Amino acid sequence: MNLMDREQMPISANLFGEDVFNDVVMQKRLPKSAYQELKRAIGEGGNLSPETADIIAHEMKEWALERGATHYTHWFLPLTGVTAEKHDAFISAPLPDGRVLMRLSGKELIKGEPDASSFPSGGLRATFEARGYTIWDCTSPAFIRHDEGGATLCIPTAFCSYTGEALDQKTPLLRSMEVIDREAIRLLRLFGNTTSSHVVPYVGAEQEYFIVDREKYLKRMDLVFTGRTLFGAAPPKGQELDDHYFGTILPRIAAYMKDVNEELWRLGVPAKTQHNEAAPAQHELAPIYEKANVAVDHNQIIMQTLKRVATRHGLRCLLHEKPFAGVNGSGKHNNWSLMTDDGFNLLDPGVTPHDNIQFLLVLTCILKAVDEHADLLRESAADVGNDLRLGGNEAPPAIISVFLGEQLQDVLEQLISTGKAEQGREREKLLTGVSTLSDISKDSTDRNRTSPFAFTGNKFEFRMVGSRDSIASPNVVLNTIVAQAFHEAADILEAAGEERFEETVHDLIKRYAAEHIRIVFNGNGYSESWVTEARRRGLPNLPSMVDAVAALTTERAVKLFTEFGVFSRKELESRMEIKYETYSKDIHIEARTMLELTGKYFLPAMIRGAGKLAEFINAIEQAGGDASVQRNLLTELSGLIKTANEAKRQLEEVTKQAERHPAGRTQAVLYRDNVVPAMEALRRPVDAAEMILDKEMWPVPSYADLMFEI
Ligand code: ADP
Ligand code: MG
């Protein structure tokens, strides 16, 4: 683009991708042959020659130096849930004359060897065998991050062990993308498609978050250590009035959002939508959808940027799923669709009957996949914080179901009962079983916010994901289970041959619809009656992460993932172990934080309050006044002190017991069944005391201070 064009572009368009080693930069800087080789590797996979790798590394470094970078890092997603990076300066060993050169070799670009021993591996790599490798993912563009530490070239990488086992989120994601590509193309070919060469999952993740004042945040040890409030009486006003949702954005938040957007645009993240969410101090940011692996990286960048920019504004961004009890928590909506490289969305109902048949097969394959692997999909959103949300009348229940909307459900039901959808609801006669469904995208405006997995016109929206979590796991599961369903359908259709194709497709759609319609639910997912109905239908209900995790290693899951080469059995077992351990550790930290807060802050405050009351009572009575109200208050407070003290002792004991247990499922169960209830028992008297004590005496900012004073 020439300078004129650029000058006429709005600021945001100028900024966009400024710090990204994107296609424009590559085309400009790389020799043609190197550029072509890289494009081929990005599109088709395969290795770069060492010479080309050196050329690309050199150009990437030159570009980074021009933009002020001093360091580079292999940026990866270990199983801790947050990104990891180890920074290396570009400088080479000093030359004999004392100068240094700034270097990045092809080898350094492609492969790194971080000391991997302190990342969770679930037994895949003993600490003495600390070797792990980061390997450049050239499909996700490198970028430069500017922060207080200067400018750093971030190279997205996959992270695996010496023996090739995945130790991260990205490796299985890339594997699952290859699998769905292969199987979807097979299906498309059967429908006569000769033009598409790839099918790629596209993802747009809506991110919810809370913003609080940093000073107040720092006064709450529970927020600092665990990301959520472990104590806190409910404020007089919550979200009852629904006045925050889509409400006017406060000036301080608006300034913050502006900076967040600009940073994200620089990094090539297409941040698009922002608004206030349901709870006070809660907001949402949604980018435009992108290829799944880029969307996963970009969601991490979004979370990091939200946090970093907040600090600069004297704010703090809370990404925990449930920072405050009694008000809505935060989640992430994973919008997912399948797109060909020539721009056709497999989840778009077509305009011709032929397209519609393909669409209906894709749709029923997805129903089958979700029904057969509902436990895995649920597991993919399992997270300690999410346990506080799912099923809590604010988020989907821990039961997987699919929302299709009336029209589609109607079509499916007719197919099931007659074998042919002759008539759509209130519409003209349908041809060959199914005709134009093209206005489904319009119809889908009758949203169902209570469904965990909703069809929204031309995509599915998986609404269960926790706000802190990487969106990699849900997409790995979606890609793989749908690939399996496509695989089976393609096998059957290929065996039937061209002659019997039409007939076989219709039979398949009918059979899949009939066998898996039980997963379809258009009603209110928050209602109690749905829980009963789901049980009747035999759908799994897994309210706790500890129960959900077992889905990873059922024989069905192992067969699925190993057959498609997405996870080995060992990798699945290691992930399960890590999850149990994460659960135990998180609850352990929460329990310890509660004990510390109670011992050092709340009990002393309550005791001081009681002492003050006693002084007043004496003084009042000596003066001949009536201190009966104060006396009652003192009795109440003394009771709470006693209860809190006893609850503290109890929590101490069960935490010690759980801690002593070897890591694994049993330990996680101990934390869930013994420690969590003991934590709740301690919270109750402390919150009650907060309600009766003088505000001046309460040692930490209240819910109202945190949520309404920004
Ligand atoms: P809604 O408000 O209904 O949730 P939006 O249209 O605002 O839906 O989109 C929400 C998210 O879904 C955005 O990140 C958007 O880019 C993404 N999205 C839209 N279309 C698709 C698609 N075909 N595939 C994947 N994600 C999509
Ligand atoms: Mg949405």
Side-chain angles (χ1 to χ4, degrees):
M1 137 188 359
N2 65 38
L3 204 62
M4 276 282 289
D5 289 343
R6 201 169 162 97
E7 274 168 2
Q8 279 163 10
M9 288 166 85
I11 297 171
S12 50
N14 262 330
L15 282 181
F16 194 83
E18 191 179 79
D19 288 326
V20 185
F21 196 72
N22 58 20
D23 198 62
V24 179
V25 180
M26 289 193 250
Q27 257 189 74
K28 205 167 91 194
R29 303 193 74 119
L30 296 178
K32 201 161 182 197
S33 62
Y35 172 74
Q36 279 166 349
E37 201 179 319
L38 178 57
K39 282 297 271 189
R40 208 167 27 248
I42 292 173
E44 308 295 326
N47 290 331
L48 296 171
S49 69
E51 296 75 33
T52 305
D54 276 334
I55 294 171
I56 297 168
H58 175 78
E59 284 304 327
M60 206 186 263
K61 174 210 68 186
E62 289 295 307
W63 169 81
L65 291 178
E66 283 166 26
R67 317 200 69 78
T70 52
H71 288 69
Y72 70 93
T73 178
H74 275 196
W75 188 84
F76 58 103
L77 309 172
L79 298 171
T80 50
V82 290
T83 52
E85 39 195 78
K86 175 183 148 214
H87 298 185
D88 278 297
F90 287 115
I91 57 169
S92 65
L95 300 173
D97 63 5
R99 288 176 309 138
V100 292
L101 297 175
M102 300 301 258
R103 308 191 45 155
L104 178 67
S105 71
K107 260 203 198 124
E108 286 167 323
L109 166 65
I110 289 178
K111 193 159 144 189
E113 202 178 326
D115 175 16
S117 55
S118 19
F119 293 108
S121 75
L124 275 182
R125 182 184 18 69
T127 22
F128 59 84
E129 225 309 358
R131 244 183 308 188
Y133 292 116
T134 49
I135 296 153
W136 182 32
D137 169 22
C138 63
T139 62
S140 181
F143 57 92
I144 294 173
R145 195 186 54 217
H146 298 271
D147 59 19
E148 288 64 23
T152 309
L153 170 66
C154 299
I155 303 165
T157 56
F159 179 45
C160 57
S161 74
Y162 181 62
T163 43
E165 275 113 1
L167 297 175
D168 69 345
Q169 314 266 21
K170 173 163 275 183
T171 309
L173 178 69
L174 294 174
R175 291 174 186 160
S176 76
M177 287 173 70
E178 279 181 24
V179 167
I180 187 95
D181 182 10
R182 189 180 70 219
E183 300 300 336
I185 284 290
R186 261 182 89 198
L187 210 58
L188 289 184
R189 292 283 182 269
L190 284 160
F191 278 88
N193 174 317
T194 53
T195 53
S196 311
S197 34
H198 289 287
V199 170
V200 180
Y202 274 75
V203 170
E206 303 159 64
Q207 174 75 47
E208 293 178 338
Y209 60 95
F210 278 84
I211 291 290
V212 295
D213 182 82
R214 187 155 176 275
E215 293 290 313
K216 297 195 180 86
Y217 163 89
L218 289 173
K219 292 193 181 122
R220 299 258 345 190
M221 196 196 278
D222 47 1
L223 280 179
V224 173
F225 288 150
T226 72
R228 74 174 178 111
T229 54
L230 299 166
F231 296 94
K237 176 179 188 288
Q239 62 198 52
E240 303 85 352
L241 299 177
D242 281 330
D243 51 353
H244 192 256
Y245 190 60
F246 282 18
T248 316
I249 297 171
L250 292 174
R252 195 171 172 198
I253 301 295
Y256 161 73
M257 286 178 169
K258 175 177 175 286
D259 270 11
V260 167
N261 285 329
E262 282 183 13
E263 284 223 5
L264 289 175
W265 292 333
R266 279 210 172 81
L267 294 168
V269 180
K272 169 91 174 160
T273 312
Q274 62 198 24
H275 59 80
N276 287 354
E277 258 300 329
Q282 192 186 27
H283 311 278
E284 179 182 301
L285 185 156
I288 297 170
Y289 61 101
E290 303 174 276
K291 288 185 179 172
N293 64 325
V294 178
V296 166
D297 284 355
H298 280 177
N299 181 250
Q300 292 290 343
I301 294 179
I302 287 173
M303 291 195 283
Q304 284 183 337
T305 307
L306 284 171
K307 290 200 148 181
R308 206 176 46 246
V309 177
T311 309
R312 277 212 309 267
H313 283 251
L315 300 166
R316 186 74 197 192
C317 172
L318 306 179
L319 291 174
H320 193 284
E321 284 76 19
K322 193 78 176 173
F324 304 103
V327 290
N328 268 13
S330 298
K332 199 138 49 186
H333 293 176
N334 188 85
N335 294 271
W336 177 91
S337 67
L338 292 171
M339 221 89 77
T340 66
D341 53 343
D342 49 354
F344 168 73
N345 180 354
L346 270 65
L347 293 181
D348 221 341
V351 283
T352 66
H354 174 85
D355 287 347
N356 281 329
I357 291 168
Q358 184 185 304
F359 167 74
L360 282 179
L361 181 62
V362 167
L363 186 76
T364 47
C365 277
I366 295 174
L367 289 186
K368 176 175 189 281
V370 173
D371 187 23
E372 284 177 352
H373 298 289
D375 58 340
L376 274 180
L377 205 51
R378 158 67 184 99
E379 198 290 324
S380 76
D383 168 275
V384 191
N386 233 4
D387 273 13
L388 299 164
R389 234 182 110 243
L390 297 180
N393 269 336
E394 53 169 287
I399 306 163
I400 297 281
S401 65
V402 182
F403 170 82
L404 286 183
E406 259 184 54
Q407 193 194 346
L408 266 185
Q409 165 137 18
D410 198 40
V411 169
L412 288 188
E413 275 169 359
Q414 286 190 49
L415 276 166
I416 294 167
S417 60
T418 65
K420 261 189 170 191
E422 291 291 358
Q423 220 107 52
R425 183 167 290 196
E426 289 164 26
R427 51 189 37 250
E428 74 281 18
K429 198 165 186 318
L430 296 170
L431 307 164
T432 38
V434 258
S435 101
T436 50
L437 299 170
S438 55
D439 56 349
I440 276 178
S441 43
K442 275 177 253 142
D443 290 358
S444 68
T445 41
D446 66 325
R447 299 288 170 76
N448 183 328
R449 306 202 132 262
T450 66
S451 175
F453 197 70
F455 183 69
T456 47
N458 62 0
K459 63 185 194 292
F460 272 101
E461 185 169 344
F462 183 44
R463 299 210 182 95
M464 238 185 208
V465 190
S467 49
R468 273 183 306 183
D469 251 2
S470 161
I471 50 168
S473 302
N475 289 299
V476 169
V477 170
L478 275 174
N479 295 342
T480 314
I481 63 178
V482 173
Q484 184 190 46
F486 285 175
H487 177 87
E488 285 180 29
D491 276 355
I492 293 168
L493 291 169
E494 278 170 9
E498 238 171 272
E499 294 277 279
R500 294 184 42 240
F501 179 75
E502 289 277 316
E503 181 191 336
T504 315
V505 175
H506 278 102
D507 284 353
L508 266 187
I509 295 174
K510 184 181 166 183
R511 176 152 72 80
Y512 288 167
E515 284 173 6
H516 302 288
I517 195 85
R518 68 166 188 165
I519 196 80
V520 177
F521 178 64
N522 290 332
N524 179 7
Y526 294 179
S527 68
E528 259 315 303
S529 59
W530 168 231
V531 177
T532 319
E533 167 66 11
R535 194 178 312 125
R536 195 191 59 75
R537 294 190 192 184
L539 301 177
N541 181 2
L542 301 164
S544 147
M545 165 174 177
V546 177
D547 294 327
V549 168
L552 284 173
T553 55
T554 62
E555 279 316 304
R556 203 156 21 96
V558 173
K559 183 166 177 292
L560 166 80
F561 285 123
T562 52
E563 251 176 45
F564 287 94
V566 172
F567 284 120
S568 66
R569 182 186 286 268
K570 249 167 91 181
E571 285 171 336
L572 287 168
E573 283 166 356
S574 78
R575 265 153 223 259
M576 183 176 73
E577 254 179 66
I578 290 171
K579 283 219 156 171
Y580 285 136
E581 223 175 301
T582 305
Y583 184 87
S584 299
K585 279 185 185 160
D586 276 19
I587 302 290
H588 188 76
I589 293 169
E590 290 189 349
R592 292 282 307 273
T593 307
M594 285 189 94
L595 291 171
E596 177 125 351
L597 271 168
T598 309
K600 288 197 177 147
Y601 295 87
F602 296 132
L603 271 177
M606 288 155 81
I607 291 166
R608 258 198 319 277
K612 270 262 174 328
L613 266 175
E615 277 173 32
F616 289 157
I617 292 166
N618 281 340
I620 292 167
E621 287 181 346
Q622 259 173 25
D626 172 12
S628 58
V629 173
Q630 290 84 341
R631 228 171 236 293
N632 286 342
L633 217 52
L634 179 59
T635 312
E636 193 182 340
L637 190 56
S638 302
L640 291 173
I641 291 172
K642 205 166 162 201
T643 316
N645 194 53
E646 176 52 30
K648 174 172 172 281
R649 206 196 48 73
Q650 179 67 21
L651 178 59
E652 237 156 3
E653 196 180 304
V654 290
T655 308
K656 275 208 194 102
Q657 275 169 11
E659 188 184 16
R660 275 198 297 268
H661 214 84
R665 182 180 149 80
T666 320
Q667 187 188 42
V669 169
L670 282 180
Y671 273 103
R672 182 193 62 190
D673 293 351
N674 297 351
V675 178
V676 170
M679 285 164 59
E680 284 161 7
L682 174 55
R683 178 175 182 146
R684 276 190 297 270
V686 175
D687 287 359
E690 184 186 349
M691 290 298 285
I692 55 175
L693 270 188
D694 183 344
K695 181 163 168 51
E696 297 299 313
M697 299 193 90
W698 204 244
V700 300
S702 70
Y703 268 30
D705 298 338
L706 286 165
M707 281 189 285
F708 293 96
E709 288 182 19
I710 297 165

